[in-house]
């Protein structure tokens, strides 16, 4: 008889990011600026 893999329950863990990770992403997004000049786009990180 074939195994039914769909009946197994997957263990789900609540994944929470560290405060340092959130801080890094927020600071990165604040420093990133995108400028469009004609048909070109430039990404500049102001750090």
């Amino acid at each position: 008889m074939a195994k039914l893999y769909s009946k197994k329950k997957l263990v789900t863990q609540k994944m929470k990011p560290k405060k340092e990770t959130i801080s890094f992403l927020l600071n990165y997004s604040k420093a990133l600026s995108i400028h469009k000049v004609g048909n070109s786009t430039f990404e500049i990180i102001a750090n």
Side-chain angles (χ1 to χ4, degrees):
M1 182 175 249
K3 278 189 168 181
L4 298 176
Y5 292 101
S6 62
K7 291 195 176 188
K8 287 185 180 179
K9 291 184 179 181
L10 297 175
V11 178
T12 57
Q13 298 175 353
K14 294 184 179 179
M15 298 174 63
K16 294 184 179 180
K18 294 180 182 178
K19 289 183 180 181
E20 294 85 16
T21 305
I22 294 173
S23 176
F24 172 78
L25 291 173
L26 287 174
N27 289 334
Y28 181 83
S29 67
K30 289 176 186 176
L32 179 68
S33 62
I34 299 174
H35 298 281
K36 293 181 181 180
V37 178
N39 292 336
S40 302
T41 58
F42 296 98
E43 298 176 358
I44 301 170
I45 299 175
N47 276 345

